[in-house]
Amino acid sequence: MSGQRLLMLVTATVFVLIWVILAKKYEKPYAEIIHSIDPDKYRYPELFCVGFGLMEFLKIDGKSINARKRIKEIAEVRGRRYAEYYYFVIHAEKWTYGFTVLVMMFLLGAMGNSPEVMVLGIVLAGIVMWYIEEVLNDQLTQRRDEILADLPQMLSKMTLLINSGMTLREAWEKVAAGGSRKLYREMQLAVQEMQNGVPETEAYRNFAERCMIKQARRVASTLIQNKLKGNQELAYFLKEMSDEVWEEKKHLTKRKGEAANSKLMFPTAMIFLGILLMIIVPAFLSM
């Protein structure tokens, strides 16, 4: 047996042993949280004890600056109450899948005496971990785009109602009750906060923090300023913001179209290359 193959077998064996030890050691300590994970959303949650063990070993917790930022982003999608829980579940999923792919590829590489397979395993593990993070990023982008898309219409409704004589709070409650998409659900949460005794200005501020887009923060800032200073030109400012957000929505739609076209270029090029090979290869073989 060559020295290279022996080294590959030893490395693969060490990784397999680490996986087994993590699975056995952390199975019971994390049994409760693993049982609470929805198997329809996360595949093979019973293996997540491996990821939780790696997180403990690598000292990954929710206290760092990056972790707090990520938890805040998760709160947008999953809700503030369970944001920290999902932060740990997503990380456990990421490390479990990534490390499992790495171990399997190292084992296959050692058995086949192929260091290339081991290198491929490192690449695949990285891709798997990156993909899991990108799923959340896509959900965030989709949510923020939906809120931005509905914001101009919401501002237009608010402007009309305030011009008709309604107070700010009455107009807010009326508009909030008229929709079921994400923006209107966030407005409804603000209404619930007001009804539960939260000051109106604080409810608007919380609304902006949950939406996490600069346009929503500008709206909340204008509404808060109106409550504190009694701005008599609120309808005018809302109308101006509505026009600005409409323009931003147009630019967003244009950017999405350009991004969709660029994404189509790769599969189109692959199809073209495949057709080209189908034509050229038989021509060469017949020469």
Side-chain angles (χ1 to χ4, degrees):
M1 182 182 293
S2 66
Q4 176 182 295
R5 187 172 189 186
L6 179 61
L7 178 62
M8 290 168 62
L9 286 170
V10 170
T11 304
T13 303
V14 169
F15 273 89
V16 170
L17 286 174
I18 291 172
W19 195 98
V20 173
I21 290 169
L22 288 171
K24 289 293 183 183
K25 182 177 180 180
Y26 294 99
E27 182 179 9
K28 289 184 179 179
Y30 287 97
E32 187 175 348
I33 189 171
I34 288 170
H35 288 149
S36 70
I37 298 172
D38 186 352
D40 294 329
K41 292 181 180 179
Y42 302 94
R43 296 295 183 90
Y44 309 112
E46 61 274 10
L47 301 179
F48 284 15
C49 50
V50 174
F52 285 122
L54 283 171
M55 289 171 66
E56 278 200 21
F57 178 75
L58 297 172
K59 305 263 190 269
I60 298 174
D61 55 30
K63 297 178 182 178
S64 68
I65 295 174
N66 288 334
R68 299 314 302 175
K69 180 183 176 183
R70 198 58 169 167
I71 289 171
K72 197 173 182 180
E73 291 174 340
I74 293 170
E76 290 185 56
V77 179
R78 302 291 187 180
R80 189 178 299 179
R81 184 176 180 183
Y82 298 107
E84 196 162 350
Y85 164 82
Y86 280 110
Y87 171 80
F88 285 103
V89 170
I90 290 170
H91 265 71
E93 175 192 29
K94 180 176 74 173
W95 285 101
T96 298
Y97 292 166
F99 189 58
T100 302
V101 167
L102 184 70
V103 170
M104 290 176 64
M105 295 300 288
F106 267 46
L107 194 58
L108 288 172
M111 292 172 64
N113 193 23
S114 175
E116 293 84 4
V117 173
M118 288 185 162
V119 174
L120 179 62
I122 296 171
V123 174
L124 286 177
I127 291 173
V128 167
M129 296 175 74
W130 168 83
Y131 175 76
I132 291 170
E133 290 287 347
E134 279 302 300
V135 169
L136 178 61
N137 291 337
D138 288 343
Q139 292 172 347
L140 279 169
T141 302
Q142 184 180 358
R143 182 181 189 277
R144 291 172 181 176
D145 288 349
E146 182 181 315
I147 289 174
L148 180 59
D150 290 339
L151 199 55
Q153 189 176 15
M154 170 269 210
L155 289 170
S156 297
K157 291 178 182 177
M158 289 277 293
T159 303
L160 288 171
L161 292 173
I162 290 171
N163 276 331
S164 69
M166 279 191 180
T167 64
L168 171 58
R169 179 166 176 173
E170 289 171 342
W172 182 276
E173 292 178 355
K174 181 77 173 175
V175 174
S180 59
R181 282 161 65 87
K182 292 178 174 63
L183 175 64
Y184 297 99
R185 289 203 294 270
E186 296 300 343
M187 293 179 72
Q188 290 160 15
L189 284 175
V191 171
Q192 291 174 13
E193 288 179 342
M194 295 178 205
Q195 292 172 347
N196 291 331
V198 175
E200 196 171 335
T201 54
E202 188 67 23
Y204 296 141
R205 190 175 291 110
N206 292 341
F207 161 79
E209 288 179 1
R210 289 193 301 270
C211 290
M212 287 297 292
I213 60 173
K214 63 180 182 180
Q215 295 84 355
R217 286 195 290 269
R218 281 168 50 205
V219 171
S221 177
T222 301
L223 300 182
I224 292 168
Q225 187 177 16
N226 172 78
K227 291 300 296 181
L228 296 177
K229 298 183 180 180
N231 193 336
Q232 299 300 315
E233 297 183 339
L234 176 61
Y236 170 77
F237 287 122
L238 289 177
K239 176 66 170 61
E240 283 224 323
M241 273 192 290
S242 176
D243 294 339
E244 290 175 12
V245 177
W246 271 114
E247 288 300 318
E248 290 179 20
K249 181 181 176 181
K250 290 178 186 177
H251 291 310
L252 174 66
T253 304
K254 185 178 178 181
R255 288 197 302 271
K256 277 188 168 182
E258 291 171 351
N261 288 334
S262 64
K263 286 181 180 178
L264 286 172
M265 287 180 65
F266 180 73
T268 303
M270 293 299 293
I271 292 171
F272 175 75
L273 183 61
I275 294 171
L276 197 62
L277 288 172
M278 290 173 64
I279 297 171
I280 292 175
V281 171
F284 273 102
L285 291 175
S286 63
M287 289 178 65

